[in-house]
Amino acid sequence: MLRLSFHKKVLYAFCGLTLLPLIALAIFASQSLDTVERLLRASAITALDRQAAETLEVRAIMVADEVRTFLHSVEDDLAALAHLPATPEVYLWFSQSHLRLVWERVGTNRAPSEKRSPIRLYRDIAFIDPDGMERLRVVDGVLSKELRDVSKPANTTFLTENYFHAARKLPAGEVYVSHLTGWHVSKQAQLGSAATPEEAVEGATYQGVVRFAQPVYDVDGQLQGIIVLSVDHRHLMEFTQHITPTDERFVVFPSYQSGNYAFMFDNEGWIITHPKFWDIRGLDKEGHLVPPYREDSAPEAIASGTIPYNLREAGFIHPNYPAVYWDVLAGRAGVVDVTNVGGSRKFMAFAPIFYNSGPYAETGVFGGITIGAEVKQFHSMAESASANIRLLYEAFLTGAWVLIGLTALLVAFVAYRLSHNITGPLSTLIAGTQAMARGRLGTQVAVANPVEVAELATAFNTMARQLNERRERLLKTLAVLRRSRKEIQQERDFNQTIVENVDVGILTLDSSQCVTSLNGVAGTILNIAEEPVRGMPLRAVLQTFPEMYQALAKSMEVERWSEYVSLEREGRSLTYRLALHPISSGRDGGHILTIEDLTERVNLRQQMARFERLASLGRLSAGIAHEVRNPLTGISLLLDELHDRMLANPGDQKLIQRALQEIERLEGLVNELLNFASLPDARLAPGDLAVVLRDTLFLTSKQFQKQHVRIHEEIPSELLHPRMDSDRLKQAILNLLTNALDAMPKGGELWISAQDIVDGCLLTIRDSGQGIPADRLALIFEPFYTTKGGGTGLGLSITHTIITSHGGRIEVQSREGEGTEFKIHLPGGGRN
């Protein structure tokens, strides 16, 4: 193993501690600078791209504004012509005086050249009388001898134009403006023998017009005629034909393949200026508009270029084309990324041409201007800036590494000198110590800085002594803490066992009424777990028990409080005792909330009270029934005898008959009282509940059919029960079925089902009758309570007594107007 001297160790350590951070810093700085350079380039590209997009958008807005101005100038010309006499001399002068320069290609495909020449702004100028007959017409600066009846669209230039009728309906001062109208130019017609539109100098050009028409009225408001100015389509082409986003800015004809060109579209989405003439809207030979290029267009039509282009239908080429159309229609300008039919990916700026005359008044937009820039051309300025930034970064990085290298040499030299000065005295001291160990006690060491070395040894010994003393104190403290922890653990386990095993729910609350803990009983009562509610406000924890929170909210300012709370849940009456106790003195120490479920205890008390009440009522009923029964029998016999003696008096005999009927009804009531008072004990034995239900349904089936009640039964083939009194259960079910029948006097539906459950059997009887009001629902099992005029009110009370004698319970749910449902729970049997 290589062994180094102390001097070299210090030297290497000093160099390492000095140079390694420097090198790490240099690497980190290089990486950071590289990141900064990339972010700077990305920011520059983004900023320059944004600037290029804004420039392109501004140019589109300026061109759109030029078109708007041009359209309004045509309207001004139309208004000026309306004030001039309609004579051949005036119209010829007007045609000759309105010229605009057109920059176009001339020559041949092989030898093209350029020419700028003035051409007439209006291809066709006409004055039409009120009947539609042209009275004066100048075509291409020449007075035409062919005057037509343009009230018939077939006589117009393009066979289907209706500008006369549209203008004739306008009031004075209003202007009609048509969409671009012209014969469609096919791809073959434009290209001829050329391969691209740029090379096609000899090919066909688009011949079209935009017609401006205005009615002329005399001072009496009589229509004198219609003036029509037909703008030559070539002047619209001048606005977009020569635009290019390159450094040239303007060309005689743009390059379609590069994507660096502009075009114009109208408010219906049709292209009306474009380097590819076959993309411009046009008419077929019959004067009908040629349908646009769609996703389902025939391949041969696409290849031959016989279909124009409409941005609304071009979403299949790129979704931004229809988006541009709708933005322009909404009056918005912007820049989007698109791919044209030729596959060139480009950025396209667009701007609306605001105009509100004629059919354009509805949207206030004539159409839109788009200027496209091929992606590479669009990013050229940003890429150039990025390259310059990269060169500057590399130059800076090279200089930084040279500076770091020189700094490293200087650090190495300084480290050598410092390590020699530090280790020299220590080496001398070590050599003297070793000499003394070998017995040379008189050895003298010449240490330049003996004070520093002595202070170092003294400080070390002091530190070691203090550390040992602190260690001893820490060991003693740790032993005390262990004993305290064990005692606290035992006390906590004891308290936890008590809290978790009491039958009372316990919640602890902090001073802001938030739950800090709860035991398992509280979680069972409130149907919540401890972890999700820890730290939640008490209101949120008791959100399913608002009755509890309302009672607690009134008592939060009281130091100690207790109250009983009754509530209804799922058809059951529940009773809880709430108590609030302070955890410590004062109001900032929190509280303990206890919740004790007294439902079973209250139900048992209510049941015992009911049994005592029923027993007293039974004894009273039996006594009354016995006392009343004998006199009733005597009265009945006497009235029967009197009835037989009144054969000569039919009226009196009828009255006696009615009295006998009332006595008979009274005897029935007495018998029911005796049955209720002396109800025998249930004779419980194994049986089949399914048989009892079917027998009871059989007894009542005729009455249900007669009353048009439809029965739905879900009764298993066998439902065995170990302890049941079949006769008394049949009586109880019969009472429920009779009540259901009475609740549906005009017919309805009855559902009866039986099933095994975990702890016994469940019988359900539900009708679609009148229902029971909510305020009477708690009284229906009381003796002599009835909602029927002729009933005794003992049927449901007897049913309740029978079910209770089986150890079961009967529950009822009802909504007035919707029906009533009884559920009978019989314990024993069922699934295990």
Side-chain angles (χ1 to χ4, degrees), residues 226-374:
I226 307 294
I227 296 176
V228 181
L229 293 180
S230 301
V231 177
D232 193 327
H233 172 257
R234 288 178 291 177
H235 294 291
L236 285 179
M237 289 285 287
E238 283 297 294
F239 288 104
T240 61
Q241 186 79 359
H242 311 302
I243 294 176
T244 178
T246 62
D247 294 336
E248 296 178 82
R249 293 185 60 81
F250 296 101
V251 293
V252 65
F253 198 90
S255 170
Y256 172 74
Q257 296 298 329
S258 68
N260 296 321
Y261 62 89
F263 66 84
M264 187 188 309
F265 60 92
D266 63 18
N267 67 335
E268 293 180 345
W270 292 99
I271 289 181
I272 57 176
T273 70
H274 197 279
K276 294 195 309 180
F277 299 156
W278 65 86
D279 279 353
I280 300 175
R281 70 177 284 165
L283 308 176
D284 59 17
K285 295 179 179 180
E286 286 76 29
H288 301 302
L289 195 62
V290 178
Y293 182 14
R294 296 189 178 94
E295 190 172 8
D296 57 354
S297 296
E300 56 271 16
I302 299 172
S304 62
T306 56
I307 47 178
Y309 201 86
N310 190 304
L311 295 190
R312 287 188 302 176
E313 307 287 344
F316 67 96
I317 297 174
H318 198 286
N320 278 337
Y321 280 121
V324 166
Y325 166 75
W326 291 114
D327 278 351
V328 164
L329 214 60
R332 292 190 292 269
V335 180
V336 294
D337 179 8
V338 298
T339 303
N340 65 11
V341 180
S344 296
R345 184 168 173 262
K346 62 179 183 176
F347 287 94
M348 188 172 77
F350 60 90
I353 303 169
F354 295 107
Y355 187 65
N356 58 0
S357 294
Y360 307 99
E362 182 178 353
T363 59
V365 173
F366 178 81
I369 294 291
T370 72
I371 302 177
E374 189 251 342

Side-chain angles (χ1 to χ4, degrees), residues 80-121:
L81 186 59
H83 290 85
L84 297 176
T87 63
E89 294 78 10
V90 171
Y91 275 46
L92 285 171
W93 167 82
F94 192 87
S95 175
Q96 295 289 349
S97 62
H98 287 77
L99 306 176
R100 286 174 69 96
L101 280 177
V102 172
W103 185 16
E104 58 186 347
R105 299 178 300 174
V106 294
T108 65
N109 293 351
R110 292 181 177 274
S113 61
E114 303 175 11
K115 182 180 73 171
R116 286 184 171 89
S117 57
I119 66 168
R120 291 174 181 81
L121 178 59

Side-chain angles (χ1 to χ4, degrees), residues 592-746:
I592 294 177
L593 172 64
T594 61
I595 305 175
E596 187 176 1
D597 188 352
L598 303 178
T599 302
E600 295 298 330
R601 202 178 307 173
V602 170
N603 289 344
L604 186 59
R605 289 177 182 173
Q606 291 176 349
Q607 191 173 7
M608 292 297 296
R610 187 174 187 277
F611 285 159
E612 292 176 2
R613 190 167 62 253
L614 289 177
S616 300
L617 186 59
R619 289 192 296 270
L620 177 62
S621 299
I624 293 174
H626 279 295
E627 292 299 326
V628 173
R629 193 174 195 181
N630 292 333
L632 281 178
T633 302
I635 293 170
S636 177
L637 292 174
L638 291 174
L639 286 174
D640 191 46
E641 179 66 24
L642 187 59
H643 176 270
D644 293 340
R645 294 181 180 183
M646 290 292 182
L647 295 175
N649 298 313
D652 295 338
Q653 197 175 32
K654 189 173 182 180
L655 290 174
I656 295 171
Q657 180 68 31
R658 293 289 298 274
L660 285 171
Q661 290 174 356
E662 290 302 314
I663 291 172
E664 186 176 341
R665 190 175 70 84
L666 192 56
E667 286 182 344
L669 177 61
V670 170
N671 289 333
E672 285 195 35
L673 282 172
L674 288 173
N675 290 335
F676 173 73
S678 59
L679 203 63
D681 293 335
R683 293 171 297 185
L684 303 178
D688 190 345
L689 279 173
V691 173
V692 173
L693 288 172
R694 290 196 182 91
D695 288 349
T696 311
L697 283 173
F698 177 76
L699 293 175
T700 57
S701 59
K702 292 295 182 182
Q703 186 62 29
F704 279 114
Q705 291 176 5
K706 181 179 178 181
Q707 203 160 312
H708 304 293
V709 175
R710 185 179 177 186
I711 300 176
H712 306 273
E713 62 174 82
E714 293 182 12
I715 303 172
S717 58
E718 187 179 70
L719 190 60
L720 300 179
H721 196 277
R723 299 176 69 254
M724 58 177 281
D725 187 333
S726 300
D727 293 335
R728 296 189 66 189
L729 282 178
K730 188 180 296 184
Q731 180 184 356
I733 295 168
L734 187 61
N735 287 340
L736 294 177
L737 295 178
T738 303
N739 281 351
L741 195 63
D742 292 339
M744 297 182 288
K746 297 181 180 180

Side-chain angles (χ1 to χ4, degrees), residues 453-469:
V453 175
E455 288 178 354
L456 176 63
T458 303
F460 178 81
N461 292 333
T462 303
M463 179 185 66
R465 185 177 64 256
Q466 291 177 350
L467 285 175
N468 187 56
E469 292 173 354

